[in-house]
């Protein structure tokens, strides 16, 4: 028997080893969901390629590669704007380890957004957190 079919089968099996952890139920982030949050600093809602949810990003952002990556500012949210955070998750994969930590929610007018809060076992300050929040924090739930 040739080794090629076995290698192909193993590669296919490993490619399927990926998923998403629900971090909300673990209560390991400084936020429990669902919840209302109030922006402490300006943020932008960006459309990225054909992704269904807008990307929430703390302003200012580096726009150098936005045109190339098909990223456009949809609107700016001022401090004091209210957002509803519905879920927190983290993707993982056999070949990539722990991926992005994301908060999913909606704006006051119902626009869906995703905020990339961190990666692996680290998060940075979210736009709804105080300016005194440390630049990097470890999260206890990263697997």
């Amino acid at each position: 028997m040739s080794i090629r079919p076995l290698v192909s089968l193993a590669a296919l099996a490993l490619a399927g080893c990926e998923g998403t952890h629900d971090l909300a139920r673990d209560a390991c982030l400084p936020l429990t969901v669902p919840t209302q949050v109030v922006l402490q600093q300006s943020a932008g809602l960006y459309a990225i390629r054909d992704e269904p949810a807008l990307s929430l990003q703390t302003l200012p952002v580096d726009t150098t590669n936005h045109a190339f990556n098909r990223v456009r500012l949809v609107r700016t949210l001022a401090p004091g704007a209210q957002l509803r955070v519905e879920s927190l998750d983290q993707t993982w994969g056999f070949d990539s380890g722990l991926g992005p930590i994301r908060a999913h929610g909606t704006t006051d007018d119902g626009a869906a957004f995703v905020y990339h809060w961190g990666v692996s076992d680290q998060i940075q300050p979210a736009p709804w957190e105080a300016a005194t929040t440390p630049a990097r924090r470890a999260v206890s739930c990263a697997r």
Side-chain angles (χ1 to χ4, degrees):
M1 177 175 197
S2 170
I3 189 97
R4 182 174 283 167
L6 293 175
V7 171
S8 295
L9 183 59
L12 183 61
L14 291 177
C17 292
E18 58 186 19
T20 303
H21 295 301
D22 178 1
L23 301 182
R25 76 165 178 241
D26 293 339
C28 59
L29 293 170
L31 185 67
T32 55
V33 294
T35 190
Q36 286 290 124
V37 294
V38 177
L39 291 181
Q40 301 299 308
Q41 55 191 343
S42 295
L45 288 173
Y46 291 85
I48 301 176
R49 294 176 293 286
D50 299 326
E51 294 180 22
L54 299 172
S55 175
L56 178 70
Q57 298 181 25
T58 304
L59 296 178
V61 298
D62 179 5
T63 61
T64 306
N65 294 315
H66 279 192
F68 177 78
N69 291 316
R70 296 179 20 216
V71 175
R72 69 176 172 79
L73 177 64
V74 174
R75 75 175 194 252
T76 300
L77 301 172
Q82 293 191 18
L83 304 174
R84 181 156 178 86
V85 179
E86 300 289 342
S87 65
L88 303 167
D89 68 20
Q90 182 172 36
T91 57
W92 59 272
F94 173 77
D95 59 345
S96 60
L98 292 174
I101 296 170
R102 302 173 301 196
H104 303 265
T106 55
T107 62
D108 57 355
D109 63 356
F113 72 84
V114 175
Y115 175 69
H116 290 267
W117 202 349
V119 69
S120 185
D121 66 347
Q122 299 285 309
I123 58 173
Q124 71 266 359
W128 54 79
E129 295 181 297
T132 56
T133 302
R136 291 243 178 257
R137 292 170 284 168
V139 293
S140 59
C141 55
R143 290 173 173 69

